[in-house]
Amino acid sequence: MKIVVVSAGLSSPSSTRLLADRLAAATLEHVDAATEVIELRELATEIAQHFVTGFPPARLASALDAVAAAHGLIAVTPVFAGSYSGLFKSFFDLIDKDSLTGKPVLLGATGGTARHSLVTEHALRPLFTHLRALVLPTAVYAASEDWGEEGLAQRIARAGAELARFTTPAAVPGPGAAPGVDTAAAIAPRSLTGAITSVDPADGFVTVPFEQRLAALRVP
């Protein structure tokens, strides 16, 4: 099993990489997995070249392949102008449209002030939902004043446990699930709130009219 960590921090060391490392460590407390860290600042030139030429240089191709093959993904970006960084977005613009389908993704972001704390919800979560990833409920934002605080440590621990849960085959069997079923894969077509994000008729999904749903709620 492999967890891939994508960090879009621009400095070395960076708070973005620090958060990414702590999220990975929290995940590994619950699951036995190998990890690979992709530092996007080291691939900035290759990313630009790919946009211009249409062909990824070797290091970038390796990074894209690693993300596609990962059992789980941790993606962390600094906040620029109230959203994810351009480097972060550019990298995921190059990801094959099907590479993240059903893949558990843990989101993280860092910024100088708590005023940007909703960036994980209004920017990051929609991006990975569009890529049909299985975005985990807990996203972690770390402002400058959060470091060393108990609240940040608790959020990191909870997020790491969630990623471990959804990357472990058959770790969370649902109602009526057969033994050995990879639950994360089984729920991949749905969001964590139960909304269907992609439906294949071959999967046997049946659309129930809204009126019928209401009728089923009526008290006899």
Side-chain angles (χ1 to χ4, degrees):
M1 183 176 297
K2 188 173 186 179
I3 305 295
V4 171
V5 182
V6 176
S7 171
L10 295 181
S11 59
S12 181
S14 73
S15 59
T16 301
R17 175 61 188 271
L18 176 59
L19 178 59
D21 287 344
R22 290 188 60 181
L23 289 170
T27 303
L28 295 180
E29 289 183 5
H30 303 278
V31 65
D32 184 15
T35 59
E36 178 178 347
V37 179
I38 298 172
E39 284 273 15
L40 295 187
R41 66 185 182 86
E42 298 176 356
L43 297 172
T45 301
E46 285 91 337
I47 291 172
Q49 288 175 348
H50 189 358
F51 275 109
V52 173
T53 66
F55 298 97
R59 284 200 311 168
L60 177 58
S62 177
L64 295 173
D65 289 344
V67 170
H71 294 89
L73 178 67
I74 298 172
V76 187
T77 179
V79 174
F80 281 6
S83 187
Y84 38 64
S85 72
L87 181 61
F88 183 87
K89 179 61 162 57
S90 295
F91 177 76
F92 284 101
D93 280 345
L94 299 177
I95 294 286
D96 182 87
K97 64 182 181 64
D98 297 319
S99 291
L100 296 185
T101 299
K103 194 184 303 293
V105 177
L106 170 54
L107 303 177
T110 58
T113 171
R115 290 180 297 175
H116 295 304
S117 59
L118 289 179
V119 68
T120 57
E121 306 306 314
H122 71 68
L124 286 170
R125 194 174 296 275
L127 170 62
F128 286 93
T129 298
H130 172 74
L131 294 172
R132 293 180 292 176
L134 180 65
V135 186
L136 300 182
T138 301
V140 180
Y141 176 81
S144 298
E145 63 266 26
D146 289 331
W147 295 103
E149 294 295 326
E150 183 178 353
L152 177 59
Q154 291 175 343
R155 295 196 302 275
I156 289 173
R158 181 169 63 246
E162 288 176 359
L163 181 57
R165 177 185 181 190
F166 283 97
T167 54
T168 304
V172 199
V181 172
D182 185 338
T183 306
I187 67 173
R190 297 174 179 267
S191 71
L192 291 177
T193 60
I196 296 174
T197 56
S198 61
V199 178
D200 185 342
D203 293 333
F205 290 113
V206 177
T207 301
V208 180
F210 182 63
E211 295 80 2
Q212 185 175 334
R213 291 180 180 272
L214 287 179
L217 297 175
R218 292 173 184 165
V219 178

